[in-house]
Amino acid sequence: MRRRVRLLPVVAVLTAPLVLSACSGGGLDVTVRGDFGKLPDVEFPEGAPGESLAVETLKEGDGAAARKGDLVVADYVGYRWSESERKLLASSYPKGRPGAFPTGQLVPGLTKALEGARPGSRVVARIPPNEGFGEKGDPKHQVGKDDTLVYVLDVRAVYSRTAGPRGEKQAPLSDPGLPKVGDAAAGQAPAVAMPKGAAPRKLQVRALVRGDGPAVRKGQLLALQYAGYFWRDGKVFNSSWSEGHPAAVTIGTGQVMKGWDQGLVGQRVGSRLLLVVPPSLGYGEKGLAQFGIKGSDTLVFVVDLLGAH
């Protein structure tokens, strides 16, 4: 899987538009109108933005509140705001595909804005430069050192660092040619014992827990926990558990290795899966030096499918 750091559905139908009126002092100074889950109308006042971080929850959700280290999945729109300009930077609404926000891995102001947010919440944040990209700005995203960020986020789901599979545990694997996966405490990677002998030449996918959710579809954003192991010695080379938060990938579109695209599409949310990926469906002849992966390495993954959006 290519390393990317940079989502269960929430249905909320509102009978009237949400409005945050223009305010002063420590307020947001912007007006936001629209229904949860739909592209909001955001109006900016004249002049420069306030200099402090300001966060407002326009609609309260329910469920577990996000904590630092959790993965938040949300529809969003983001702007940059200076005294002379208000410019749209990005929006997930047109394509209907949410974004993934690993709290603790974001700019400080965005992590603070999302802490405490619950599924079904609409959160608006004004993030000054010192809580954003700082003096260097972010040229890649056209954010200058003096630009304030404004985000509107409709939270679809929150996945905690201890989230795991939900479903029916399957009988232990009887195939002597496949790895044995042990149990593990919540929030920890399971131990995997490799068999003796040559690795399988074809992709192997086995359900260790058969999930009780919907089947994963091509093009969805997946929230998941995973660990990757070398067949040759059983050592872990990468793990969301060790990174301290669930990961998110778009599946079936070539953004991750072929073994994941082929092995995860069609599986049910809530599952824990064992994948054995031959080199041809992994990183190929070049391998991936960053993680010590050789061109000849067969890779073993344990993957928990937490959500699909």
Side-chain angles (χ1 to χ4, degrees), residues 81-117:
W81 181 10
S82 65
E83 185 171 5
S84 60
E85 187 179 32
R86 296 116 180 98
K87 183 177 177 60
L88 174 68
L89 295 176
S91 175
S92 70
Y93 293 93
K95 293 184 178 181
R97 296 176 184 172
F101 299 86
T103 59
Q105 306 295 314
L106 309 167
V107 297
L110 194 50
T111 287
K112 293 175 182 179
L114 288 173
E115 286 182 17

PDB file of all heavy atoms in Angstrom, residues 81-117:
ATOM      1  N   TRP A  81      -8.502  33.161   3.302  1.00  0.00           N
ATOM      2  CA  TRP A  81      -9.105  34.474   3.541  1.00  0.00           C
ATOM      3  C   TRP A  81      -8.008  35.443   3.972  1.00  0.00           C
ATOM      4  O   TRP A  81      -7.272  35.195   4.931  1.00  0.00           O
ATOM      5  CB  TRP A  81     -10.174  34.335   4.629  1.00  0.00           C
ATOM      6  CG  TRP A  81     -10.912  35.590   4.979  1.00  0.00           C
ATOM      7  CD1 TRP A  81     -10.895  36.797   4.337  1.00  0.00           C
ATOM      8  CD2 TRP A  81     -11.815  35.753   6.090  1.00  0.00           C
ATOM      9  NE1 TRP A  81     -11.725  37.693   4.962  1.00  0.00           N
ATOM     10  CE2 TRP A  81     -12.303  37.078   6.039  1.00  0.00           C
ATOM     11  CE3 TRP A  81     -12.260  34.914   7.105  1.00  0.00           C
ATOM     12  CZ2 TRP A  81     -13.199  37.576   6.979  1.00  0.00           C
ATOM     13  CZ3 TRP A  81     -13.149  35.404   8.038  1.00  0.00           C
ATOM     14  CH2 TRP A  81     -13.623  36.720   7.968  1.00  0.00           C
ATOM     15  N   SER A  82      -7.880  36.526   3.225  1.00  0.00           N
ATOM     16  CA  SER A  82      -6.988  37.621   3.596  1.00  0.00           C
ATOM     17  C   SER A  82      -7.771  38.918   3.461  1.00  0.00           C
ATOM     18  O   SER A  82      -8.947  38.923   3.065  1.00  0.00           O
ATOM     19  CB  SER A  82      -5.749  37.649   2.693  1.00  0.00           C
ATOM     20  OG  SER A  82      -6.113  37.929   1.351  1.00  0.00           O
ATOM     21  N   GLU A  83      -7.139  40.026   3.776  1.00  0.00           N
ATOM     22  CA  GLU A  83      -7.842  41.317   3.701  1.00  0.00           C
ATOM     23  C   GLU A  83      -8.313  41.612   2.284  1.00  0.00           C
ATOM     24  O   GLU A  83      -9.350  42.234   2.087  1.00  0.00           O
ATOM     25  CB  GLU A  83      -6.928  42.436   4.195  1.00  0.00           C
ATOM     26  CG  GLU A  83      -7.628  43.792   4.267  1.00  0.00           C
ATOM     27  CD  GLU A  83      -6.772  44.832   4.973  1.00  0.00           C
ATOM     28  OE1 GLU A  83      -5.612  44.515   5.321  1.00  0.00           O
ATOM     29  OE2 GLU A  83      -7.268  45.959   5.178  1.00  0.00           O
ATOM     30  N   SER A  84      -7.568  41.136   1.289  1.00  0.00           N
ATOM     31  CA  SER A  84      -7.887  41.473  -0.097  1.00  0.00           C
ATOM     32  C   SER A  84      -8.566  40.350  -0.877  1.00  0.00           C
ATOM     33  O   SER A  84      -9.019  40.576  -1.998  1.00  0.00           O
ATOM     34  CB  SER A  84      -6.599  41.862  -0.840  1.00  0.00           C
ATOM     35  OG  SER A  84      -5.673  40.791  -0.827  1.00  0.00           O
ATOM     36  N   GLU A  85      -8.659  39.148  -0.303  1.00  0.00           N
ATOM     37  CA  GLU A  85      -9.135  38.022  -1.112  1.00  0.00           C
ATOM     38  C   GLU A  85      -9.831  36.962  -0.273  1.00  0.00           C
ATOM     39  O   GLU A  85      -9.475  36.715   0.878  1.00  0.00           O
ATOM     40  CB  GLU A  85      -7.943  37.384  -1.850  1.00  0.00           C
ATOM     41  CG  GLU A  85      -8.344  36.315  -2.848  1.00  0.00           C
ATOM     42  CD  GLU A  85      -7.130  35.743  -3.563  1.00  0.00           C
ATOM     43  OE1 GLU A  85      -6.052  35.683  -2.939  1.00  0.00           O
ATOM     44  OE2 GLU A  85      -7.269  35.366  -4.733  1.00  0.00           O
ATOM     45  N   ARG A  86     -10.843  36.348  -0.859  1.00  0.00           N
ATOM     46  CA  ARG A  86     -11.500  35.162  -0.308  1.00  0.00           C
ATOM     47  C   ARG A  86     -11.559  34.163  -1.456  1.00  0.00           C
ATOM     48  O   ARG A  86     -12.205  34.426  -2.458  1.00  0.00           O
ATOM     49  CB  ARG A  86     -12.912  35.471   0.192  1.00  0.00           C
ATOM     50  CG  ARG A  86     -12.920  36.453   1.359  1.00  0.00           C
ATOM     51  CD  ARG A  86     -13.625  37.736   0.939  1.00  0.00           C
ATOM     52  NE  ARG A  86     -13.659  38.687   2.029  1.00  0.00           N
ATOM     53  CZ  ARG A  86     -12.772  39.690   2.153  1.00  0.00           C
ATOM     54  NH1 ARG A  86     -11.821  39.868   1.254  1.00  0.00           N
ATOM     55  NH2 ARG A  86     -12.853  40.512   3.176  1.00  0.00           N
ATOM     56  N   LYS A  87     -10.884  33.028  -1.317  1.00  0.00           N
ATOM     57  CA  LYS A  87     -10.761  32.101  -2.439  1.00  0.00           C
ATOM     58  C   LYS A  87     -11.052  30.670  -1.997  1.00  0.00           C
ATOM     59  O   LYS A  87     -10.528  30.201  -0.982  1.00  0.00           O
ATOM     60  CB  LYS A  87      -9.365  32.180  -3.053  1.00  0.00           C
ATOM     61  CG  LYS A  87      -9.186  31.293  -4.295  1.00  0.00           C
ATOM     62  CD  LYS A  87      -7.816  31.470  -4.899  1.00  0.00           C
ATOM     63  CE  LYS A  87      -7.612  30.545  -6.093  1.00  0.00           C
ATOM     64  NZ  LYS A  87      -8.589  30.789  -7.162  1.00  0.00           N
ATOM     65  N   LEU A  88     -11.858  29.968  -2.788  1.00  0.00           N
ATOM     66  CA  LEU A  88     -12.135  28.553  -2.547  1.00  0.00           C
ATOM     67  C   LEU A  88     -10.870  27.744  -2.830  1.00  0.00           C
ATOM     68  O   LEU A  88     -10.257  27.872  -3.887  1.00  0.00           O
ATOM     69  CB  LEU A  88     -13.271  28.083  -3.457  1.00  0.00           C
ATOM     70  CG  LEU A  88     -13.596  26.586  -3.424  1.00  0.00           C
ATOM     71  CD1 LEU A  88     -14.182  26.190  -2.079  1.00  0.00           C
ATOM     72  CD2 LEU A  88     -14.559  26.228  -4.562  1.00  0.00           C
ATOM     73  N   LEU A  89     -10.477  26.904  -1.883  1.00  0.00           N
ATOM     74  CA  LEU A  89      -9.316  26.045  -2.065  1.00  0.00           C
ATOM     75  C   LEU A  89      -9.690  24.637  -2.480  1.00  0.00           C
ATOM     76  O   LEU A  89      -9.067  24.049  -3.369  1.00  0.00           O
ATOM     77  CB  LEU A  89      -8.497  25.986  -0.766  1.00  0.00           C
ATOM     78  CG  LEU A  89      -7.839  27.282  -0.310  1.00  0.00           C
ATOM     79  CD1 LEU A  89      -7.154  27.061   1.044  1.00  0.00           C
ATOM     80  CD2 LEU A  89      -6.817  27.747  -1.336  1.00  0.00           C
ATOM     81  N   ALA A  90     -10.691  24.064  -1.830  1.00  0.00           N
ATOM     82  CA  ALA A  90     -11.067  22.677  -2.116  1.00  0.00           C
ATOM     83  C   ALA A  90     -12.461  22.409  -1.578  1.00  0.00           C
ATOM     84  O   ALA A  90     -12.906  23.032  -0.606  1.00  0.00           O
ATOM     85  CB  ALA A  90     -10.068  21.712  -1.483  1.00  0.00           C
ATOM     86  N   SER A  91     -13.149  21.456  -2.202  1.00  0.00           N
ATOM     87  CA  SER A  91     -14.475  21.047  -1.757  1.00  0.00           C
ATOM     88  C   SER A  91     -14.709  19.592  -2.147  1.00  0.00           C
ATOM     89  O   SER A  91     -14.402  19.179  -3.268  1.00  0.00           O
ATOM     90  CB  SER A  91     -15.558  21.930  -2.382  1.00  0.00           C
ATOM     91  OG  SER A  91     -16.849  21.445  -2.036  1.00  0.00           O
ATOM     92  N   SER A  92     -15.231  18.814  -1.213  1.00  0.00           N
ATOM     93  CA  SER A  92     -15.550  17.415  -1.498  1.00  0.00           C
ATOM     94  C   SER A  92     -16.973  17.219  -2.002  1.00  0.00           C
ATOM     95  O   SER A  92     -17.313  16.140  -2.494  1.00  0.00           O
ATOM     96  CB  SER A  92     -15.373  16.579  -0.221  1.00  0.00           C
ATOM     97  OG  SER A  92     -16.386  16.903   0.730  1.00  0.00           O
ATOM     98  N   TYR A  93     -17.810  18.255  -1.900  1.00  0.00           N
ATOM     99  CA  TYR A  93     -19.237  18.099  -2.189  1.00  0.00           C
ATOM    100  C   TYR A  93     -19.547  17.786  -3.658  1.00  0.00           C
ATOM    101  O   TYR A  93     -20.426  16.956  -3.931  1.00  0.00           O
ATOM    102  CB  TYR A  93     -20.015  19.343  -1.747  1.00  0.00           C
ATOM    103  CG  TYR A  93     -20.036  19.545  -0.260  1.00  0.00           C
ATOM    104  CD1 TYR A  93     -19.078  20.346   0.359  1.00  0.00           C
ATOM    105  CD2 TYR A  93     -21.002  18.953   0.533  1.00  0.00           C
ATOM    106  CE1 TYR A  93     -19.079  20.533   1.731  1.00  0.00           C
ATOM    107  CE2 TYR A  93     -21.016  19.137   1.909  1.00  0.00           C
ATOM    108  CZ  TYR A  93     -20.044  19.936   2.494  1.00  0.00           C
ATOM    109  OH  TYR A  93     -20.050  20.112   3.859  1.00  0.00           O
ATOM    110  N   PRO A  94     -18.898  18.434  -4.630  1.00  0.00           N
ATOM    111  CA  PRO A  94     -19.279  18.179  -6.026  1.00  0.00           C
ATOM    112  C   PRO A  94     -19.208  16.711  -6.436  1.00  0.00           C
ATOM    113  O   PRO A  94     -20.065  16.215  -7.175  1.00  0.00           O
ATOM    114  CB  PRO A  94     -18.291  19.030  -6.824  1.00  0.00           C
ATOM    115  CG  PRO A  94     -17.948  20.159  -5.896  1.00  0.00           C
ATOM    116  CD  PRO A  94     -17.908  19.513  -4.551  1.00  0.00           C
ATOM    117  N   LYS A  95     -18.195  15.987  -5.955  1.00  0.00           N
ATOM    118  CA  LYS A  95     -18.050  14.574  -6.320  1.00  0.00           C
ATOM    119  C   LYS A  95     -18.724  13.630  -5.327  1.00  0.00           C
ATOM    120  O   LYS A  95     -18.814  12.425  -5.578  1.00  0.00           O
ATOM    121  CB  LYS A  95     -16.569  14.225  -6.452  1.00  0.00           C
ATOM    122  CG  LYS A  95     -15.880  14.915  -7.627  1.00  0.00           C
ATOM    123  CD  LYS A  95     -14.448  14.443  -7.765  1.00  0.00           C
ATOM    124  CE  LYS A  95     -13.773  15.081  -8.971  1.00  0.00           C
ATOM    125  NZ  LYS A  95     -12.367  14.622  -9.144  1.00  0.00           N
ATOM    126  N   GLY A  96     -19.194  14.171  -4.205  1.00  0.00           N
ATOM    127  CA  GLY A  96     -19.869  13.336  -3.224  1.00  0.00           C
ATOM    128  C   GLY A  96     -18.947  12.399  -2.473  1.00  0.00           C
ATOM    129  O   GLY A  96     -19.399  11.421  -1.873  1.00  0.00           O
ATOM    130  N   ARG A  97     -17.664  12.667  -2.498  1.00  0.00           N
ATOM    131  CA  ARG A  97     -16.699  11.819  -1.803  1.00  0.00           C
ATOM    132  C   ARG A  97     -16.095  12.598  -0.652  1.00  0.00           C
ATOM    133  O   ARG A  97     -15.468  13.645  -0.867  1.00  0.00           O
ATOM    134  CB  ARG A  97     -15.598  11.369  -2.762  1.00  0.00           C
ATOM    135  CG  ARG A  97     -16.105  10.500  -3.897  1.00  0.00           C
ATOM    136  CD  ARG A  97     -14.981  10.171  -4.864  1.00  0.00           C
ATOM    137  NE  ARG A  97     -15.475   9.423  -6.015  1.00  0.00           N
ATOM    138  CZ  ARG A  97     -14.748   9.139  -7.083  1.00  0.00           C
ATOM    139  NH1 ARG A  97     -13.492   9.565  -7.140  1.00  0.00           N
ATOM    140  NH2 ARG A  97     -15.264   8.452  -8.076  1.00  0.00           N
ATOM    141  N   PRO A  98     -16.242  12.130   0.570  1.00  0.00           N
ATOM    142  CA  PRO A  98     -15.746  12.882   1.723  1.00  0.00           C
ATOM    143  C   PRO A  98     -14.233  12.846   1.818  1.00  0.00           C
ATOM    144  O   PRO A  98     -13.549  12.097   1.100  1.00  0.00           O
ATOM    145  CB  PRO A  98     -16.395  12.161   2.906  1.00  0.00           C
ATOM    146  CG  PRO A  98     -16.537  10.751   2.417  1.00  0.00           C
ATOM    147  CD  PRO A  98     -16.871  10.853   0.959  1.00  0.00           C
ATOM    148  N   GLY A  99     -13.700  13.645   2.721  1.00  0.00           N
ATOM    149  CA  GLY A  99     -12.286  13.638   3.010  1.00  0.00           C
ATOM    150  C   GLY A  99     -12.008  12.909   4.306  1.00  0.00           C
ATOM    151  O   GLY A  99     -12.905  12.690   5.128  1.00  0.00           O
ATOM    152  N   ALA A 100     -10.759  12.518   4.483  1.00  0.00           N
ATOM    153  CA  ALA A 100     -10.330  11.836   5.702  1.00  0.00           C
ATOM    154  C   ALA A 100      -9.410  12.764   6.484  1.00  0.00           C
ATOM    155  O   ALA A 100      -8.454  13.302   5.931  1.00  0.00           O
ATOM    156  CB  ALA A 100      -9.601  10.540   5.350  1.00  0.00           C
ATOM    157  N   PHE A 101      -9.693  12.947   7.763  1.00  0.00           N
ATOM    158  CA  PHE A 101      -8.956  13.876   8.612  1.00  0.00           C
ATOM    159  C   PHE A 101      -8.416  13.134   9.841  1.00  0.00           C
ATOM    160  O   PHE A 101      -9.135  12.952  10.819  1.00  0.00           O
ATOM    161  CB  PHE A 101      -9.859  15.029   9.044  1.00  0.00           C
ATOM    162  CG  PHE A 101     -10.391  15.853   7.906  1.00  0.00           C
ATOM    163  CD1 PHE A 101     -11.555  15.485   7.241  1.00  0.00           C
ATOM    164  CD2 PHE A 101      -9.713  16.987   7.473  1.00  0.00           C
ATOM    165  CE1 PHE A 101     -12.036  16.239   6.180  1.00  0.00           C
ATOM    166  CE2 PHE A 101     -10.187  17.743   6.415  1.00  0.00           C
ATOM    167  CZ  PHE A 101     -11.348  17.368   5.773  1.00  0.00           C
ATOM    168  N   PRO A 102      -7.159  12.698   9.782  1.00  0.00           N
ATOM    169  CA  PRO A 102      -6.565  12.042  10.955  1.00  0.00           C
ATOM    170  C   PRO A 102      -6.154  13.083  11.985  1.00  0.00           C
ATOM    171  O   PRO A 102      -5.145  13.776  11.816  1.00  0.00           O
ATOM    172  CB  PRO A 102      -5.349  11.310  10.370  1.00  0.00           C
ATOM    173  CG  PRO A 102      -4.992  12.087   9.146  1.00  0.00           C
ATOM    174  CD  PRO A 102      -6.254  12.714   8.630  1.00  0.00           C
ATOM    175  N   THR A 103      -6.934  13.266  13.026  1.00  0.00           N
ATOM    176  CA  THR A 103      -6.649  14.298  14.018  1.00  0.00           C
ATOM    177  C   THR A 103      -5.293  14.035  14.658  1.00  0.00           C
ATOM    178  O   THR A 103      -4.918  12.903  14.928  1.00  0.00           O
ATOM    179  CB  THR A 103      -7.744  14.348  15.088  1.00  0.00           C
ATOM    180  OG1 THR A 103      -7.834  13.068  15.721  1.00  0.00           O
ATOM    181  CG2 THR A 103      -9.093  14.692  14.479  1.00  0.00           C
ATOM    182  N   GLY A 104      -4.586  15.098  14.884  1.00  0.00           N
ATOM    183  CA  GLY A 104      -3.223  14.986  15.371  1.00  0.00           C
ATOM    184  C   GLY A 104      -2.204  15.010  14.254  1.00  0.00           C
ATOM    185  O   GLY A 104      -1.027  15.236  14.493  1.00  0.00           O
ATOM    186  N   GLN A 105      -2.650  14.796  13.014  1.00  0.00           N
ATOM    187  CA  GLN A 105      -1.765  14.836  11.858  1.00  0.00           C
ATOM    188  C   GLN A 105      -2.094  16.028  10.961  1.00  0.00           C
ATOM    189  O   GLN A 105      -1.560  16.139   9.862  1.00  0.00           O
ATOM    190  CB  GLN A 105      -1.919  13.541  11.044  1.00  0.00           C
ATOM    191  CG  GLN A 105      -1.732  12.276  11.852  1.00  0.00           C
ATOM    192  CD  GLN A 105      -0.321  12.122  12.386  1.00  0.00           C
ATOM    193  OE1 GLN A 105       0.642  12.314  11.657  1.00  0.00           O
ATOM    194  NE2 GLN A 105      -0.198  11.774  13.656  1.00  0.00           N
ATOM    195  N   LEU A 106      -2.971  16.898  11.400  1.00  0.00           N
ATOM    196  CA  LEU A 106      -3.438  18.037  10.619  1.00  0.00           C
ATOM    197  C   LEU A 106      -2.784  19.315  11.127  1.00  0.00           C
ATOM    198  O   LEU A 106      -2.049  19.295  12.116  1.00  0.00           O
ATOM    199  CB  LEU A 106      -4.968  18.153  10.742  1.00  0.00           C
ATOM    200  CG  LEU A 106      -5.775  16.890  10.462  1.00  0.00           C
ATOM    201  CD1 LEU A 106      -7.208  17.067  10.936  1.00  0.00           C
ATOM    202  CD2 LEU A 106      -5.730  16.528   8.986  1.00  0.00           C
ATOM    203  N   VAL A 107      -3.059  20.440  10.453  1.00  0.00           N
ATOM    204  CA  VAL A 107      -2.613  21.709  11.027  1.00  0.00           C
ATOM    205  C   VAL A 107      -3.292  21.868  12.388  1.00  0.00           C
ATOM    206  O   VAL A 107      -4.406  21.376  12.604  1.00  0.00           O
ATOM    207  CB  VAL A 107      -2.940  22.899  10.100  1.00  0.00           C
ATOM    208  CG1 VAL A 107      -2.202  22.768   8.786  1.00  0.00           C
ATOM    209  CG2 VAL A 107      -4.442  23.050   9.864  1.00  0.00           C
ATOM    210  N   PRO A 108      -2.649  22.513  13.354  1.00  0.00           N
ATOM    211  CA  PRO A 108      -3.165  22.535  14.726  1.00  0.00           C
ATOM    212  C   PRO A 108      -4.609  23.020  14.848  1.00  0.00           C
ATOM    213  O   PRO A 108      -5.401  22.440  15.600  1.00  0.00           O
ATOM    214  CB  PRO A 108      -2.204  23.482  15.452  1.00  0.00           C
ATOM    215  CG  PRO A 108      -0.930  23.376  14.680  1.00  0.00           C
ATOM    216  CD  PRO A 108      -1.338  23.189  13.254  1.00  0.00           C
ATOM    217  N   GLY A 109      -4.963  24.074  14.121  1.00  0.00           N
ATOM    218  CA  GLY A 109      -6.306  24.619  14.236  1.00  0.00           C
ATOM    219  C   GLY A 109      -7.382  23.660  13.778  1.00  0.00           C
ATOM    220  O   GLY A 109      -8.488  23.624  14.345  1.00  0.00           O
ATOM    221  N   LEU A 110      -7.082  22.850  12.763  1.00  0.00           N
ATOM    222  CA  LEU A 110      -8.071  21.900  12.268  1.00  0.00           C
ATOM    223  C   LEU A 110      -8.231  20.730  13.229  1.00  0.00           C
ATOM    224  O   LEU A 110      -9.346  20.239  13.461  1.00  0.00           O
ATOM    225  CB  LEU A 110      -7.673  21.414  10.873  1.00  0.00           C
ATOM    226  CG  LEU A 110      -8.742  20.686  10.056  1.00  0.00           C
ATOM    227  CD1 LEU A 110     -10.044  21.470  10.021  1.00  0.00           C
ATOM    228  CD2 LEU A 110      -8.233  20.422   8.645  1.00  0.00           C
ATOM    229  N   THR A 111      -7.140  20.287  13.821  1.00  0.00           N
ATOM    230  CA  THR A 111      -7.242  19.254  14.856  1.00  0.00           C
ATOM    231  C   THR A 111      -8.093  19.748  16.023  1.00  0.00           C
ATOM    232  O   THR A 111      -8.971  19.037  16.527  1.00  0.00           O
ATOM    233  CB  THR A 111      -5.846  18.837  15.346  1.00  0.00           C
ATOM    234  OG1 THR A 111      -5.205  18.048  14.337  1.00  0.00           O
ATOM    235  CG2 THR A 111      -5.926  18.016  16.621  1.00  0.00           C
ATOM    236  N   LYS A 112      -7.864  20.980  16.472  1.00  0.00           N
ATOM    237  CA  LYS A 112      -8.646  21.541  17.580  1.00  0.00           C
ATOM    238  C   LYS A 112     -10.117  21.675  17.207  1.00  0.00           C
ATOM    239  O   LYS A 112     -11.003  21.448  18.043  1.00  0.00           O
ATOM    240  CB  LYS A 112      -8.078  22.897  17.985  1.00  0.00           C
ATOM    241  CG  LYS A 112      -6.693  22.820  18.612  1.00  0.00           C
ATOM    242  CD  LYS A 112      -6.131  24.211  18.884  1.00  0.00           C
ATOM    243  CE  LYS A 112      -4.723  24.132  19.458  1.00  0.00           C
ATOM    244  NZ  LYS A 112      -4.142  25.482  19.699  1.00  0.00           N
ATOM    245  N   ALA A 113     -10.399  22.055  15.957  1.00  0.00           N
ATOM    246  CA  ALA A 113     -11.788  22.225  15.519  1.00  0.00           C
ATOM    247  C   ALA A 113     -12.540  20.899  15.520  1.00  0.00           C
ATOM    248  O   ALA A 113     -13.742  20.860  15.806  1.00  0.00           O
ATOM    249  CB  ALA A 113     -11.815  22.850  14.123  1.00  0.00           C
ATOM    250  N   LEU A 114     -11.846  19.802  15.213  1.00  0.00           N
ATOM    251  CA  LEU A 114     -12.508  18.509  15.086  1.00  0.00           C
ATOM    252  C   LEU A 114     -12.580  17.743  16.400  1.00  0.00           C
ATOM    253  O   LEU A 114     -13.410  16.833  16.540  1.00  0.00           O
ATOM    254  CB  LEU A 114     -11.805  17.661  14.027  1.00  0.00           C
ATOM    255  CG  LEU A 114     -12.031  18.127  12.580  1.00  0.00           C
ATOM    256  CD1 LEU A 114     -11.159  17.337  11.627  1.00  0.00           C
ATOM    257  CD2 LEU A 114     -13.506  17.992  12.187  1.00  0.00           C
ATOM    258  N   GLU A 115     -11.734  18.088  17.355  1.00  0.00           N
ATOM    259  CA  GLU A 115     -11.802  17.412  18.647  1.00  0.00           C
ATOM    260  C   GLU A 115     -13.155  17.697  19.300  1.00  0.00           C
ATOM    261  O   GLU A 115     -13.564  18.841  19.432  1.00  0.00           O
ATOM    262  CB  GLU A 115     -10.662  17.868  19.552  1.00  0.00           C
ATOM    263  CG  GLU A 115      -9.313  17.285  19.151  1.00  0.00           C
ATOM    264  CD  GLU A 115      -8.197  17.701  20.086  1.00  0.00           C
ATOM    265  OE1 GLU A 115      -8.504  18.156  21.204  1.00  0.00           O
ATOM    266  OE2 GLU A 115      -7.026  17.583  19.701  1.00  0.00           O
ATOM    267  N   GLY A 116     -13.871  16.653  19.674  1.00  0.00           N
ATOM    268  CA  GLY A 116     -15.195  16.783  20.269  1.00  0.00           C
ATOM    269  C   GLY A 116     -16.328  16.705  19.274  1.00  0.00           C
ATOM    270  O   GLY A 116     -17.494  16.619  19.672  1.00  0.00           O
ATOM    271  N   ALA A 117     -16.017  16.739  17.978  1.00  0.00           N
ATOM    272  CA  ALA A 117     -17.079  16.650  16.964  1.00  0.00           C
ATOM    273  C   ALA A 117     -17.662  15.247  16.936  1.00  0.00           C
ATOM    274  O   ALA A 117     -16.959  14.251  17.094  1.00  0.00           O
ATOM    275  CB  ALA A 117     -16.514  17.006  15.592  1.00  0.00           C
TER     276      ALA A 117
END
